[in-house]
Amino acid sequence: MYDSIVIGAGIAGITAARQLAEKGNQKVLVIEKREHIGGNCYDRLDDYGILIHEYGPHIFHTNMEDVFSYLSEFTEWYLYENGHQVVADVNGKLIPVPFNLNTLHMVYEKELADTLEKKLVQAYGSGSRVGIMELRQNKDPQIQAIAQYVYENVFLKYTMKQWGQTPEEIDPQVTGRVPVLISYDNRYFQDKYQGVPLHGFTGMFERMLDHENITLLTGTDAGKLLEFGDSQIRYEGKVFEGCVIYTGELDRLFGLKYGRLPYRSLRFELEHLAQEDFQNGHSVVNYTVSEDFTRITEFQYLTGQKDTSGTTIVREYPFAYSGAEGEIPYYAIMNPENEKLYQKYKKLAERYPNLHLLGRLAEYRYYNMDAMTKKALELAEKLL
Ligand code: FAD
Ligand code: UDP
């Protein structure tokens, strides 16, 4: 039988499964309810032969050498020479995001921009990163004016669309992901490695799961095979004493006993266009002051695919997750109230000594792929 069971074949579950199978020589069963592997990082060719990211644009970026070298065992990379770059459409004008000194010089005339640049450098230091909420607290009226511009033109409407709340109402760590940069750096991320697997995320995951000790079951909800009793987990009716790694929503594991953990979801609207280019070479354009969608991604520029005919784009429309059939919980809404509810579920999970919670859903956190990989590697190491 199996030594371990992993629920969910996203990047977290796959990494953990591979490590247990390879380093621990364990027989691992991976159960995935979707018909495919990869979780939200899944990519595939569309009807026009264009590689698309089914659940929104995924750019791998990291400063962690160990994570990069680990995943590199399973894939080559298409690394972005100039990093991943994003622009915001502000009333038809495209400006670099994160807001940086290039942006400053685009939105203010030269003399004023020079003065403002000096002030920013003096206040925060050249090369620094300042969260918009922090910048807004600066007492200098001129810096306040910049902060107000960035707040209104980059953050307010986009955040309202994405979260249904203002930047003040959400966790500052969320807007802090896109700080104001006191440098001439147009890159969206400042990480050393930025790109996508050369043959797609799904290709990389297939190689990770391709191990004699791993059995994969897709299209199967773990609830069909596993039962969570008072303090024991049963697999097909028998007590299972091996490790169970759970990467799904924690509230669902316990039948929503204390109520639903809130999430934001997205509707992706794909469109194929019979034209060579749609965004003039930009892979991602954020709509920060207009439209109901948050951003448009043009896949050929994200993946570097050259043999395309026509182009495929996707628009992202956020909405509140209701738990209805087919909806996917993409983003945990981090605030003290939700954290309290999460902790109640976590207490229930602690009744099972062999149950381990891992992943963006099970941990109710806003993890990027690299952080997720790191956590999975650490968990596997701890278990072995
Ligand atoms: P998931 O990918 O959600 O995988 C969990 C899996 O568990 C799913 O496949 C689910 O079907 C399965 N599952 C759940 N419950 C059960 C059950 N009961 N039985 C069987 N299977 C079950 N990160 C980056 O680093 N860069 C990016 O550019 C980036 N862009 C993103 C864009 C969007 C729109 C979103 C939503 C996320 C983005 N991320 C990005 C984050 C990235 O998607 C996550 O870090 C990563 O997917 C987390 O992996 P995971 O394995 O924890 O979760
Ligand atoms: N954000 C914004 N305008 C932008 C980009 C980001 O207001 O142009 C805010 C928004 O609240 C968003 C958060 O910053 O949810 C984090 O952005 P990121 O691009 O990291 O979000 P993700 O790609 O994870 O959806």
Side-chain angles (χ1 to χ4, degrees):
M1 280 311 276
Y2 302 107
D3 300 305
S4 293
I5 297 177
V6 174
I7 302 168
I11 195 167
I14 291 175
T15 304
R18 175 75 194 202
Q19 288 298 89
L20 296 178
E22 186 172 324
K23 298 271 166 0
N25 198 24
Q26 294 192 5
K27 297 266 182 252
V28 185
L29 173 66
V30 179
I31 307 170
E32 168 55 56
K33 67 179 174 188
R34 298 184 199 178
E35 296 296 338
H36 61 74
I37 59 168
N40 293 336
C41 309
Y42 172 68
D43 54 13
R44 66 169 174 94
L45 295 180
D46 70 4
D47 293 345
Y48 309 90
I50 294 175
L51 184 64
I52 59 163
H53 294 182
E54 182 95 20
Y55 306 98
H58 278 72
I59 299 105
F60 182 79
H61 57 100
T62 196
N63 270 329
M64 290 185 262
E65 294 288 346
D66 54 345
V67 166
F68 184 71
S69 87
Y70 176 75
L71 293 176
S72 301
E73 289 174 32
F74 307 99
T75 189
E76 294 168 71
W77 298 92
Y78 168 63
L79 293 175
Y80 306 143
E81 237 171 78
N82 301 312
H84 174 55
Q85 300 200 7
V86 174
V87 289
D89 182 310
V90 178
N91 303 316
K93 183 170 172 168
L94 299 181
I95 60 168
V97 173
F99 190 95
N100 64 62
L101 297 179
N102 289 312
T103 327
L104 184 80
H105 284 270
M106 276 176 84
V107 302
Y108 293 100
E109 49 84 15
K110 178 155 180 11
E111 213 171 309
L112 180 55
D114 285 343
T115 309
L116 296 174
E117 176 178 341
K118 279 200 196 96
K119 282 206 166 177
L120 285 170
V121 169
Q122 204 170 30
Y124 299 102
S126 175
S128 58
R129 306 154 57 85
V130 191
I132 180 61
M133 301 318 277
E134 186 191 342
L135 194 68
R136 287 188 91 200
Q137 281 166 12
N138 195 298
K139 296 272 183 297
D140 184 305
Q142 279 187 308
I143 293 186
Q144 262 184 25
I146 305 171
Q148 193 55 21
Y149 175 90
V150 178
Y151 178 81
E152 280 171 12
N153 290 287
V154 179
F155 285 97
L156 182 56
K157 175 107 201 226
Y158 188 105
T159 299
M160 282 305 297
K161 287 187 270 187
Q162 178 76 2
W163 298 98
Q165 288 181 300
T166 63
E168 289 88 332
E169 289 167 322
I170 65 171
D171 189 322
Q173 280 180 56
V174 174
T175 48
R177 290 167 59 90
V178 187
V180 170
L181 302 179
I182 317 298
S183 62
Y184 288 91
D185 186 349
N186 282 346
R187 295 173 307 164
Y188 203 66
F189 312 113
Q190 275 59 56
D191 291 333
K192 178 171 172 190
Y193 302 105
Q194 307 188 20
V196 288
L198 189 59
H199 305 294
F201 284 102
T202 306
M204 176 177 84
F205 295 136
E206 279 166 356
R207 291 188 65 181
M208 293 175 81
L209 288 170
D210 182 13
H211 191 282
E212 57 186 4
N213 285 342
I214 296 180
T215 304
L216 170 69
L217 270 182
T218 51
T220 310
D221 194 306
K224 292 211 179 94
L225 302 172
L226 292 162
E227 236 177 281
F228 288 77
D230 274 347
S231 62
Q232 285 178 324
I233 304 172
R234 288 173 180 272
Y235 170 67
E236 292 191 316
K238 291 196 202 80
V239 173
F240 184 81
E241 280 170 345
C243 287
V244 175
I245 297 178
Y246 181 71
T247 73
E249 301 121 272
L250 197 52
D251 53 356
R252 272 178 46 109
L253 188 61
F254 299 110
L256 310 180
K257 186 176 166 139
Y258 301 129
R260 200 174 275 295
L261 278 168
Y263 288 94
R264 294 294 286 175
S265 190
L266 295 169
R267 178 170 67 81
F268 296 104
E269 192 182 270
L270 280 163
E271 190 179 0
H272 182 79
L273 302 159
Q275 61 199 56
E276 258 178 45
D277 164 88
F278 179 70
Q279 294 192 146
N280 206 10
H282 295 291
S283 58
V284 178
V285 178
N286 287 359
Y287 285 79
T288 54
V289 295
S290 61
E291 313 304 337
D292 293 334
F293 49 84
T294 49
R295 57 187 173 191
I296 301 182
T297 298
E298 187 165 1
F299 288 108
Q300 59 173 330
Y301 301 126
L302 201 74
T303 62
Q305 189 177 359
K306 295 279 181 278
D307 62 342
T308 51
S309 146
T311 189
T312 301
I313 61 171
V314 69
R315 295 180 176 84
E316 293 174 52
Y317 293 88
F319 64 94
Y321 176 69
S322 75
E325 187 72 24
E327 276 183 12
I328 296 178
Y330 289 110
Y331 297 88
I333 304 174
M334 295 181 303
N335 64 37
E337 192 188 339
N338 297 348
E339 180 61 21
K340 214 166 126 195
L341 180 56
Y342 174 76
Q343 289 301 332
K344 278 175 82 174
Y345 281 113
K346 198 165 168 220
K347 266 245 134 38
L348 287 183
E350 282 163 6
R351 295 198 308 214
Y352 308 94
N354 56 338
L355 176 65
H356 302 275
L357 306 177
L358 176 72
R360 186 151 147 139
L361 293 169
E363 297 182 61
Y364 202 65
R365 289 282 176 277
Y366 200 153
Y367 285 127
N368 289 329
M369 288 181 275
D370 63 332
M372 213 57 273
T373 309
K374 180 79 178 173
K375 279 225 93 179
L377 291 173
E378 284 171 355
L379 175 63
E381 178 134 353
K382 193 180 98 186
L383 296 177
L384 290 174

